[in-house]
Amino acid sequence: MYPLHREREQPIFSTRAHVFQIDPTTKRNWIPASKHAVTVSFFYDANRNVYRIISVGGTKAIINSTVSPNMTFTKTSQKFGQWADSRANTVYGLGFSSEQQLHQFAERFKEIKEAARLAREKSQDKMDMTNPALGVAAPQVSCVAYLLQDLSEDLQSPPMCINGPGEDKLFRSQSADITLSSEKERIKKMLSEGSICEMNLEAELFTLQDSNAKLIAALHEANANVEQWKKQLAAYQEETERLREQVAELESHGGGHGPSDLLKDELTQSLEELEALLKAKDEVLYSVFQEIRILQSKKSNFQELEQERDEAIHRLQELEIRNVELERRVQNAEQTLASSLEDRDRTENEIQRFIEILDVKIFDLNDLRQSLVKLFDK
């Protein structure tokens, strides 16, 4: 298969790169199409007047993409670029060994895309110049049919007419073919843009969900710490009150029947330590409340992010509905194109049959003329 393509196609530019394709399931991850760097080339098909990007790994073509004016090559990093091929329903990615190779490939991609646009316009102009010729040729065939009809009246043969509706149908089918092709390209471009927008929205949604999970985890952790500090603070307060009551009771009993001064000093020192610890806990608790306020403000920002996420999901759903509608339109266009092609083939067969009948009638007229010449000679 590929040698035949190489015989009729001429390579324009070649480079080496690692080839990737987008994961058809997630539309986010890249799948390596080659284990190592392979040759990626631009080819020009002179017979079909199209430009293609081809890369072969072993005996299998890992890239076979026809360049259209609607394609765009995007540099996503210093050594990586990608483009979407709506016909192959995939996104190709190329990883280069240097930034210079990526720049050369991107510039050549722009040149090839412009050449493809000029080739398409030239092809459409050529088709527009070809279609009026069918209308000019029709009166000549009509004159021949009229002469044949006039000459065949003596032989009582039925009149013939091979012009008009058949060729008008052929002209209309070719015009419909051109219109449907341009409409199909436009719809495919819209589908490709919708797929890229869908990938961006999915990435934005994934980022919002990740931020949401982190904020919720931080808020739960802060709430758990606050509850723990509250319990410890209540326990220290109870202990402080109990020691104060003991000190007050000991001081009230005073004199020789009271506790010793050493025990009183120990209790006072323990009370001071507990008060210092309580003060430190209060400071920690205050800082925790400050963090909670910060997290609550972030939570309000998160609610805004959730609202943006809901809007992004809504836009994504609208794009999916639009993609379904565009796919339906593409299917209808393909069916209409197939019907037009069938009508054109049927018309061509009918014209060919009329031409064969015309040849037979002309042959019979030649025989008649020769017979008349012989009759006059006699």
Side-chain angles (χ1 to χ4, degrees):
M1 176 179 178
Y2 301 110
L4 293 176
H5 286 297
R6 297 296 175 85
E7 289 176 3
R8 71 180 185 182
E9 295 180 345
Q10 298 297 327
I12 301 174
F13 173 79
S14 297
T15 185
R16 292 187 66 82
H18 292 272
V19 180
F20 300 86
Q21 289 187 8
I22 200 70
D23 189 354
T25 304
T26 62
K27 298 292 185 181
R28 187 183 300 116
N29 301 324
W30 289 104
I31 299 176
S34 61
K35 296 181 180 179
H36 50 79
V38 295
T39 301
V40 180
S41 303
F42 288 95
F43 280 84
Y44 174 66
D45 188 348
N47 294 335
R48 297 171 57 193
N49 196 20
V50 295
Y51 296 85
R52 297 198 300 167
I53 304 174
I54 296 177
S55 179
V56 180
T59 59
K60 182 178 68 173
I62 56 180
I63 297 179
N64 187 4
S65 177
T66 301
V67 180
S68 66
N70 301 326
M71 286 185 178
T72 302
F73 183 81
T74 305
K75 298 179 183 178
T76 57
S77 67
Q78 294 182 352
K79 298 180 181 181
F80 192 87
Q82 67 184 44
W83 78 93
D85 190 345
S86 58
R87 295 183 179 179
N89 194 21
T90 186
V91 180
Y92 292 102
L94 296 180
F96 298 89
S97 59
S98 65
E99 186 176 359
Q100 182 180 2
Q101 291 182 351
L102 174 61
H103 180 71
Q104 291 177 353
F105 186 88
E107 292 297 322
R108 190 53 58 96
F109 194 96
K110 291 180 181 178
E111 297 175 1
I112 297 300
K113 186 176 72 171
E114 182 66 18
R117 184 184 65 81
L118 295 175
R120 174 178 292 180
E121 292 178 355
K122 183 177 179 182
S123 177
Q124 290 180 354
D125 293 338
K126 184 177 179 182
M127 184 65 70
D128 292 337
M129 292 176 62
T130 304
N131 287 334
L134 294 175
V136 173
Q140 298 177 359
V141 179
S142 178
C143 292
V144 174
Y146 181 79
L147 291 174
L148 288 174
Q149 179 180 357
D150 197 30
L151 289 172
S152 59
E153 287 179 353
D154 296 334
L155 300 175
Q156 296 181 354
S157 59
M160 296 172 54
C161 181
I162 61 174
N163 67 321
E167 295 191 0
D168 289 340
K169 184 181 285 186
L170 178 60
F171 176 76
R172 288 196 300 271
S173 65
Q174 290 179 347
S175 300
D177 191 359
I178 297 171
T179 304
L180 289 174
S181 299
S182 61
E183 180 70 13
K184 187 175 180 181
E185 289 295 331
R186 186 179 67 82
I187 292 174
K188 285 184 177 180
K189 178 184 176 181
M190 295 175 65
L191 286 173
S192 177
E193 293 175 354
S195 299
I196 294 173
C197 184
E198 182 178 352
M199 291 170 60
N200 294 333
L201 289 175
E202 287 181 354
E204 182 181 355
L205 179 61
F206 178 77
T207 304
L208 291 175
Q209 289 177 347
D210 189 22
S211 301
N212 184 11
K214 289 181 180 179
L215 287 174
I216 291 175
L219 188 60
H220 287 330
E221 184 178 359
N223 290 331
N225 290 332
V226 168
E227 294 296 331
Q228 184 178 0
W229 287 118
K230 284 183 178 179
K231 290 179 181 179
Q232 290 183 0
L233 181 61
Y236 287 138
Q237 287 177 348
E238 291 178 359
E239 184 68 18
T240 302
E241 292 296 329
R242 187 179 63 81
L243 290 175
R244 283 179 179 175
E245 290 176 358
Q246 289 181 1
V247 170
E249 184 180 356
L250 290 173
E251 288 179 350
S252 64
H253 286 82
H257 300 287
S260 63
D261 293 337
L262 180 61
L263 180 60
K264 184 178 179 180
D265 293 338
E266 289 180 355
L267 291 174
T268 303
Q269 185 178 0
S270 299
L271 183 60
E272 291 176 353
E273 291 177 354
L274 285 173
E275 288 179 349
L277 183 60
L278 185 61
K279 184 178 180 181
K281 294 295 183 182
D282 288 336
E283 293 177 355
V284 174
L285 187 61
Y286 178 76
S287 63
V288 170
F289 279 122
Q290 292 294 331
E291 291 180 358
I292 290 175
R293 291 193 187 97
I294 295 172
L295 289 174
Q296 287 177 348
S297 64
K298 289 184 178 179
K299 185 176 180 181
S300 62
N301 295 332
F302 173 71
Q303 291 176 353
E304 295 178 357
L305 292 175
E306 281 187 339
Q307 185 177 1
E308 292 179 357
R309 184 194 63 181
D310 294 336
E311 293 177 356
I313 292 174
H314 181 66
R315 291 198 303 268
L316 181 61
Q317 291 175 351
E318 290 180 351
L319 284 174
E320 289 178 351
I321 296 173
R322 187 178 179 184
N323 285 338
V324 171
E325 178 65 21
L326 290 175
E327 289 177 355
R328 185 184 63 81
R329 291 177 60 184
V330 168
Q331 292 177 356
N332 293 335
E334 289 178 348
Q335 292 176 358
T336 305
L337 178 60
S339 177
S340 299
L341 291 175
E342 290 178 356
D343 292 340
R344 185 177 66 181
D345 293 338
R346 189 163 49 250
T347 303
E348 289 178 352
N349 293 331
E350 185 178 356
I351 291 174
Q352 185 64 31
R353 185 173 61 83
F354 285 156
I355 290 173
E356 292 176 356
I357 296 172
L358 178 61
D359 291 337
V360 173
K361 294 297 182 180
I362 291 173
F363 182 75
D364 292 339
L365 288 174
N366 287 331
D367 289 342
L368 178 61
R369 185 178 61 83
Q370 291 176 3
S371 301
L372 291 174
V373 169
K374 291 178 180 180
L375 182 61
F376 286 136
D377 292 338
K378 291 180 179 181

